[in-house]
Amino acid sequence: MSGPVHSMKIGGQGMSSPYPIVSQSEVAIVPVIDISGLRKTARERSLVVKEIGNACGRMGFFQVVNHRIGKAVMEGALEAASAFFELPEQEKRKYESGNLREPVRYGTGLKDGEEVTRNRRFFIKHYAHPLEEWITCWPANPPNYREKMGEFSTQAREVGLELLEAITESLGLGPTYLTRRMSGSMQVIAVNFYPRPHTPSPGSTVGLPAHSDYSCLTIVLPNSPGLEILDPEDSSWKLVPVVEGALQVHVGDHLEVLSNGIYKSVVHRGIINVDETRISIASLQSLAMEEKMEPAEELIDEDHPKGYVGSSYMDFLEFLYGNELGQGWSFVDALKIK
Ligand code: OGA
Ligand code: NI
């Protein structure tokens, strides 16, 4: 089931859509890649690797199916997330913190500390790898939260590693170029909650402002549409269609750096649905906290000089402290060697 999802508008006059009207943006044409071929013959693998490489080079975004995370695991995680956000505010606020280095944080706004009162998204973020180390800090309520979110996190990490292998292979660096450095790597789970507004406003309402992810790769499980990506071809926002059972994959800033700019991190934002609460679970994978990501030597030559300075996850946190909401997404720009 590979191939583009065709362009169409939703929310126009008289259009019937299976989804609520969330935005007037055009729907993005993004590849939906069947990744089961990565585990089949060398020929089938190379076709899928090529497809993934093309998607990373064009938009920095694609969706995957046949990723091996079962429906029950995905639904279990979404249900646990929903039950968490239904808890009384004071229970959730126990996890609130202005300290970006806190391994479990509840809050609102884009990244941290910033209070966005009108159009907002709530989040809980927690470290997830190694799971045994962090899971005891995760919310104890709802009672099945740790189990359900833990299952999803472990499996999402596996999918992430499998995709990173394919991605470095597509860059000609071989499949273990990055993953061999990832045994002690970071995984952050960001669970986003976009409540349905009391008073709907016409058009799209942004819950999570434009940014690119500070990760190598981000894998997102949404319960409904609302993710928009910036199409680099015409610099317009495009709504990502939700494909049953698929996971959404974002190229993060660190892959852009590693690839020396061959792949670009995708700028994206979260839209509030007018008549439905939206939840998404994002798994962000990075190198270890203090490990610097540099452009691959193999991708630097006279015609392609080194385009980025090295940086670590910690450097990103430092950057966030000093920058305003909405500017966080330009961290990768700050790394560019002009
Ligand atoms: C994020 C994010 C998108 C979404 O958590 O970084 O971009 O679909 N989420 O909610
Ligand atoms: Ni994001």
Side-chain angles (χ1 to χ4, degrees):
M1 123 170 220
S2 296
V5 172
H6 289 288
S7 177
M8 56 177 238
K9 290 240 184 199
I10 68 168
Q13 308 85 341
M15 289 280 298
S16 70
S17 159
Y19 301 120
I21 297 164
V22 294
S23 155
Q24 296 298 320
S25 296
E26 210 173 293
V27 172
I29 303 172
V30 289
V32 178
I33 304 176
D34 177 348
I35 58 167
S36 59
L38 290 176
R39 301 176 293 266
K40 293 182 181 155
T41 62
R43 204 188 111 73
E44 279 168 288
R45 180 176 171 87
S46 79
L47 286 175
V48 179
V49 165
K50 200 169 281 174
E51 226 178 327
I52 290 174
N54 288 343
C56 290
R58 204 176 85 76
M59 281 224 186
F61 183 89
F62 54 100
Q63 308 208 55
V64 294
V65 291
N66 287 328
H67 44 66
R68 294 197 285 191
I69 305 186
K71 198 168 172 227
V73 169
M74 296 198 289
E75 280 173 0
L78 285 169
E79 277 160 23
S82 165
F84 172 79
F85 285 105
E86 277 160 22
L87 294 173
E89 206 52 38
Q90 79 204 60
E91 167 102 21
K92 291 178 282 191
R93 290 206 159 198
K94 285 196 295 199
Y95 302 99
E96 205 165 41
S97 170
N99 178 5
L100 307 185
R101 294 194 183 87
E102 210 58 70
V104 179
R105 282 180 306 113
Y106 169 75
T108 179
L110 170 60
K111 295 285 180 191
D112 299 282
E114 300 277 351
E115 192 72 22
V116 182
T117 45
R118 207 168 56 87
N119 309 324
R120 62 181 169 174
R121 144 268 199 181
F122 297 83
F123 66 81
I124 180 143
K125 293 184 183 182
H126 39 63
Y127 291 179
H129 181 77
L131 190 62
E132 329 74 76
E133 195 172 313
W134 302 115
I135 197 168
T136 51
C137 317
W138 290 10
N141 263 322
N144 67 356
Y145 184 90
R146 292 178 185 174
E147 180 200 336
K148 297 296 173 191
M149 201 57 75
E151 277 174 0
F152 177 77
S153 303
T154 305
Q155 296 189 25
R157 183 170 187 275
E158 289 304 314
V159 177
L161 293 176
E162 187 174 31
L163 291 172
L164 283 169
E165 286 181 353
I167 289 169
T168 54
E169 194 173 329
S170 75
L171 288 166
L173 302 171
T176 62
Y177 191 88
L178 205 51
T179 53
R180 65 176 176 242
R181 293 167 67 190
M182 292 191 85
S183 60
S185 63
M186 307 245 338
Q187 181 188 16
V188 178
I189 295 287
V191 188
N192 301 300
F193 181 78
Y194 303 83
R196 175 179 166 253
H198 295 297
T199 43
S201 53
S204 62
T205 306
V206 176
L208 172 59
H211 67 284
S212 63
D213 287 356
Y214 189 73
S215 61
C216 290
L217 202 67
T218 303
I219 290 179
V220 184
L221 169 66
N223 77 335
S224 54
L227 174 70
E228 291 189 349
I229 57 177
L230 194 66
D231 187 337
E233 266 158 37
D234 61 5
S235 296
S236 69
W237 288 107
K238 301 273 166 70
L239 181 71
V240 173
V242 165
V243 175
E244 173 84 27
L247 295 168
Q248 302 173 337
V249 184
H250 300 236
V251 168
D253 292 347
H254 259 176
L255 256 184
E256 175 167 337
V257 170
L258 177 83
S259 74
N260 202 24
I262 296 174
Y263 297 162
K264 295 283 194 296
S265 59
V266 59
V267 176
H268 56 281
R269 64 183 189 177
I271 299 296
I272 289 169
N273 289 344
V274 291
D275 52 14
E276 185 182 36
T277 291
R278 175 166 186 269
I279 292 173
S280 68
I281 307 174
S283 164
L284 293 88
Q285 279 167 260
S286 307
L287 295 177
M289 181 70 96
E290 316 243 1
E291 196 176 339
K292 300 245 185 219
M293 180 67 91
E294 296 273 356
E297 296 277 344
E298 294 84 340
L299 302 175
I300 300 172
D301 59 30
E302 246 171 63
D303 296 334
H304 308 91
K306 181 175 168 178
Y308 303 81
V309 296
S311 65
S312 67
Y313 193 88
M314 196 58 102
D315 294 333
F316 170 65
L317 295 185
E318 293 291 331
F319 177 86
L320 270 191
Y321 274 118
N323 287 275
E324 300 267 308
L325 172 75
Q327 288 179 5
W329 65 274
S330 68
F331 178 65
V332 72
D333 286 341
L335 300 176
K336 284 181 186 154
I337 298 171
K338 304 271 171 10

